[in-house]
Amino acid sequence: MTDLPISAELIAESNARELAALEDDYASLGRKLERTGIDIEAIKSRIASFSVAVPSWGAGRGGTRFAKFPIPGEPTSIHEKLEDCAVIQQLSRVTPRVSPHFPWDKVSDYRGLREEAASLGLSFDAVNSNTFQDQANQAHSYATGSLSSTIEATRMQAIEHNIECIEIGRQLGSKELTVWVGDGTNFPGQQDLARSLDRYLEAAAEVYTALPEDWRMLLEHKMFEPAFYSTVISDWGSSILAAQELGPKAKCLVDLGHHAPNVNIEQIVARLHRFGKLGGFHFNDSKYGDDDLDSGSINPHQLFLVFNELIEAELNPREGFNPSYMIDQSHNVTDPIESMLSSAEAITQCFAKALLVDREALHFAQEANDTMMAFQALRRAYNTDVAPIVSQARLEAGGAVDVLRTYRESRYRSRKSQERKAVGLGAGIV
Ligand code: PSV
Ligand code: MN
Ligand code: MN
């Protein structure tokens, strides 16, 4: 492994200052959990094997369609993004994989990129295709659709791009292709709602055929945006039907910000699992729509309930239960490394809380229709402060006890602002 971006000494010094308090908190939580028959060490070892991928695009300040406010030291290439992701992994120890997006992360040597990532302690997760934007020198525009386009040449171009992403992913060591298309309409009558789905299914089947044996195709649905009247794969219903039609390697990906307002996301998770189609997640949070806000910053209880369903799913496995966890968020107001550190911690804490649920008590109360006690089984776990377990697991894995403080002490961003070229204003708005 070459030089990692944060010095091990700095992490050790920072941890040394936290150690006594952490030991105290961990011991106290251990005693509390023991009283209810929970072995804190067993929970900690589950946390130690938990991980969530970070999006390469989340390393930059995404901005909104209105404006982008770059910060000094922001990454402008996949190489710099990998370096930032390595910082997140070094400190958090739960984000060892990066999910790349193409053509945003295009390079000439993908095997070299894989080695570069490995030298930073990283590997690659699902590859994401992009047929929602036009690129310079592209033969056919996606302005009126991609995989569902009425124009055959455009559909072919979108299929070929997805197949190219699979080829790139093979070189990167990835095993999944995530497909989100923005295809849809803004006017009633603009497109035939049935025929556009037919065209999507036919084109997606071509991509599916190109998948290697051990790969999965993750279909990501989204209710609206950029299309505001109808979207081809708008909801989990369209997603599961498409996945069922495509075949066993096609699964559904749940982005937490892509649903109708107030929809019960944890129930969607349970439903997808019931039919063996739960493929993975894009974690983020949302208040109004696809806000891409930090995971757990708006509705941490919902995140906990999603993990609660995942633990239930694990206890009642259906065919192929192996969901991929990824973060998908981008920011205009924070340092993306800090947001990703904070989100990775929030996600891990929700997983830890879900592990604490007294399943026996919950199932007993459910069978007895004892609503209040069933609810309390969840409430007790949710109200437990699991920070000491998550911090202790991180410490033992070589990470930082206080990720944000250690990151600030490293002055990483300020160092990068001296080395990296500035991002031009107005650049990269997506
Ligand atoms: C679309 O809103 C989405 O959630 C998809 O996952 C894209 O690949 C990603 O955001 C980046 O724009
Ligand atoms: Mn997403
Ligand atoms: Mn989104």
Side-chain angles (χ1 to χ4, degrees), residues 5-7 410-420:
I6 307 288
S7 94
S410 77
R411 304 192 65 257
Y412 175 80
R413 189 65 76 193
S414 131
R415 283 191 276 129
K416 292 298 136 186
S417 69
Q418 310 295 312
E419 295 166 20
R420 291 176 177 172

Side-chain angles (χ1 to χ4, degrees), residues 220 222 255 258 284 290 292 328:
E220 181 177 359
K222 170 158 144 167
D255 182 310
H258 287 189
N284 50 47
D290 185 27
D292 282 345
D328 178 7

Side-chain angles (χ1 to χ4, degrees), residues 18-325:
E18 305 287 339
L19 225 50
L22 177 59
E23 266 174 24
D24 199 27
D25 293 347
Y26 187 76
S28 155
L29 180 59
R31 287 193 297 275
K32 181 179 154 77
L33 294 177
E34 203 181 355
R35 287 196 290 277
T36 56
I38 298 174
D39 173 13
I40 193 169
E41 292 294 310
I43 304 291
K44 192 183 66 190
S45 73
R46 289 294 311 273
I47 302 299
S49 51
F50 178 79
S51 64
V52 56
V54 291
S56 64
W57 62 99
R61 295 234 306 187
T64 69
R65 84 186 84 133
F66 300 105
K68 186 168 161 62
F69 301 99
I71 48 168
E74 180 173 330
T76 55
S77 68
I78 180 64
H79 310 289
E80 292 177 351
K81 288 175 185 172
L82 283 178
E83 206 186 352
D84 288 7
C85 293
V87 172
I88 302 164
Q89 162 62 359
Q90 246 197 303
L91 298 174
S92 75
R93 310 309 296 173
V94 290
T95 59
R97 295 176 311 281
V98 179
S99 187
H101 218 303
F102 296 101
W104 294 339
D105 296 327
K106 197 176 165 85
V107 294
S108 54
D109 174 14
Y110 290 105
R111 294 201 189 277
L113 193 69
R114 185 177 179 176
E115 281 167 25
E116 185 181 324
S119 77
L120 289 163
L122 300 168
S123 61
F124 286 98
D125 207 82
V127 286
N128 298 263
S129 60
N130 178 345
T131 61
F132 47 86
Q133 280 178 327
D134 284 349
Q135 308 298 329
N137 307 321
Q138 186 177 303
H140 308 280
S141 172
Y142 294 129
T144 55
S146 61
L147 288 175
S148 78
S149 170
T150 53
I151 304 155
E152 192 188 354
T154 309
R155 289 199 303 279
M156 287 310 300
Q157 178 182 280
I159 293 167
E160 277 159 23
H161 167 65
N162 275 283
I163 293 174
E164 188 196 354
C165 285
I166 296 172
E167 185 39 46
I168 294 172
R170 288 170 86 134
Q171 297 179 52
L172 292 178
S174 177
K175 297 255 181 248
E176 286 169 336
L177 170 72
T178 300
V179 182
W180 172 71
V181 293
D183 297 23
T185 67
N186 278 354
F187 289 87
Q190 183 183 336
Q191 284 286 326
D192 182 296
L193 298 178
R195 276 199 288 268
S196 55
L197 181 61
D198 285 342
R199 288 191 296 268
Y200 168 88
L201 288 171
E202 220 173 277
E206 297 281 330
V207 178
Y208 184 91
T209 306
L211 281 180
E213 219 23 68
D214 56 347
W215 271 56
R216 305 194 305 173
M217 183 167 166
L218 303 179
L219 308 184
E220 181 177 359
H221 68 270
K222 170 158 144 167
M223 175 123 283
F224 67 93
E225 193 200 44
F228 291 97
Y229 168 66
S230 74
T231 293
V232 175
I233 300 296
S234 54
D235 51 18
W236 74 275
S238 313
S239 181
I240 196 171
L241 289 169
Q244 281 171 338
E245 187 142 326
L246 288 174
K249 290 187 276 181
K251 306 273 178 188
C252 305
L253 183 138
V254 177
D255 182 310
L256 269 72
H258 287 189
H259 307 266
N262 303 322
V263 90
N264 186 334
I265 297 178
E266 55 273 23
Q267 187 174 25
I268 292 173
V269 170
R271 287 283 185 275
L272 290 174
H273 171 63
R274 168 64 183 79
F275 295 98
K277 284 296 186 190
L278 182 63
F281 289 87
H282 274 180
F283 290 119
N284 50 47
D285 218 329
S286 128
K287 181 77 178 163
Y288 302 109
D290 185 27
D291 309 336
D292 282 345
L293 298 175
D294 282 19
S295 302
S297 63
I298 305 294
N299 194 347
H301 191 237
Q302 175 180 262
L303 191 56
F304 160 74
L305 293 174
V306 164
F307 274 105
N308 180 54
E309 289 309 322
L310 290 167
I311 305 289
E312 287 291 333
E314 202 179 271
L315 295 172
N316 301 287
R318 299 272 172 178
E319 177 256 317
F321 177 67
N322 180 27
S324 293
Y325 299 139

